[in-house]
Amino acid sequence: LNTCRELEMSERMLKAQTSINKDLNAEIGDLEAKLKGSNNELYRKLDDYETLCAKRLQKIHTLEAQVKQLLRRKDRRMGEAQPADNGEDAANDSDAISVASLAASESDFGPGENLVEVWIMGAVLNENKVEPSVTTFVMLDFYDYETQTSPLLTGLTPNFDFAATYRVKVDHLFMRYMSSETLTLELNRTKHADCELLGQCTLSLRSLLEGSGKLKIDDAEIV
């Protein structure tokens, strides 16, 4: 009889321990799921921070290239001791800076790196479309870089004289972009605290790959 009682007690204790173990296993499973979710969230945040840092580093490189380009342009203008002898020289002086003048020393670039510059000189607006006191600016999107904007200028003939310089990695994706995509410039005007699109022009980038690496468009139509 005592043996039966001990056996029953052992069975009850075993059931109780089994139930406890089941609860503990469920709690461990929940904790593991929460830990996995926390790790995934941390990895996601880490990826976001790395992406943000890469973009900021890219922005720093772009700004450095722009500063160097502006310094070279200033030095070139200061170094011109004599005026241009003919109209061709004067036209060349008003061109966007050539690729050679933009290229930095070899130590500034890694393998396959180069500079792409988009120079926006100005615009001529139709007085029948906008008022003479209109304030305008240009927005430019290129490849996977952040949108660049020109200074705000007032009048029907804004002289933006704005350069957007990009330090690029010349790889398969970039070459495919250059050969198949277009560059869109958007002309906007300020309207109270907002802006309004006046028009845009679309330029093919393929010509940069087929020629000397320099493309000048004197009269791009805004539609």
Side-chain angles (χ1 to χ4, degrees):
L1 183 61
N2 291 334
T3 302
C4 290
R5 290 176 180 175
E6 291 178 357
L7 180 60
E8 290 176 357
M9 185 178 296
S10 298
E11 287 178 351
R12 289 196 295 270
M13 293 179 62
L14 179 60
K15 289 181 180 179
Q17 188 63 47
T18 301
S19 177
I20 293 173
N21 290 346
K22 184 181 295 184
D23 293 339
L24 289 175
N25 287 332
E27 185 176 355
I28 291 173
D30 292 339
L31 291 174
E32 288 179 344
K34 291 180 180 179
L35 179 61
K36 184 177 180 180
S38 298
N39 287 339
N40 291 337
E41 180 67 16
L42 289 175
Y43 286 135
R44 187 189 64 80
K45 289 183 178 180
L46 181 60
D47 290 338
D48 291 341
Y49 286 136
E50 288 179 348
T51 301
L52 179 61
C53 289
K55 288 183 178 180
R56 289 181 176 176
L57 183 61
Q58 176 179 287
K59 184 67 173 180
I60 290 173
H61 289 328
T62 301
L63 292 174
E64 288 176 344
Q66 289 177 341
V67 170
K68 291 178 181 178
Q69 167 242 310
L70 292 174
L71 289 175
R72 290 191 186 92
R73 186 184 184 201
K74 180 180 178 181
D75 291 342
R76 188 185 69 170
R77 288 182 175 178
M78 293 179 62
E80 291 178 348
Q82 297 180 351
D85 294 335
N86 50 51
E88 181 179 355
D89 291 338
N92 290 337
D93 183 61
S94 64
D95 285 347
I97 298 176
S98 64
V99 175
S101 66
L102 281 174
S105 61
E106 294 183 0
S107 60
D108 291 335
F109 293 89
E113 289 187 336
N114 210 329
L115 283 181
V116 173
E117 182 188 58
V118 180
W119 196 285
I120 303 171
M121 300 305 297
V124 178
L125 307 180
N126 190 336
E127 61 182 359
N128 296 324
K129 302 292 184 180
V130 294
E131 63 277 9
S133 60
V134 64
T135 299
T136 57
F137 65 96
V138 176
M139 296 180 62
L140 164 65
D141 285 306
F142 176 73
Y143 199 37
D144 58 354
Y145 294 91
E146 296 180 356
T147 300
Q148 301 289 319
T149 57
S150 71
L152 294 171
L153 293 179
T154 302
L156 296 177
T157 56
N159 182 27
F160 296 112
D161 196 17
F162 168 72
T165 305
Y166 304 93
R167 184 170 183 152
V168 299
K169 179 72 173 180
V170 183
D171 54 15
H172 175 69
L173 291 177
F174 179 75
M175 295 299 290
R176 185 171 64 179
Y177 171 84
M178 294 291 291
S179 62
S180 61
E181 299 295 331
T182 56
L183 180 68
T184 300
L185 305 178
E186 295 184 349
L187 180 66
N188 299 269
R189 71 173 176 182
T190 59
K191 191 174 184 180
H192 305 298
D194 202 354
C195 63
E196 179 184 19
L197 178 65
L198 290 178
Q200 61 184 22
C201 63
T202 303
L203 309 175
S204 174
L205 298 172
R206 179 182 290 272
S207 300
L208 289 174
L209 302 178
E210 299 173 346
S212 62
K214 179 179 177 181
L215 174 64
K216 179 183 178 182
I217 301 177
D218 292 321
D219 191 12
E221 183 180 3
I222 301 175
V223 296

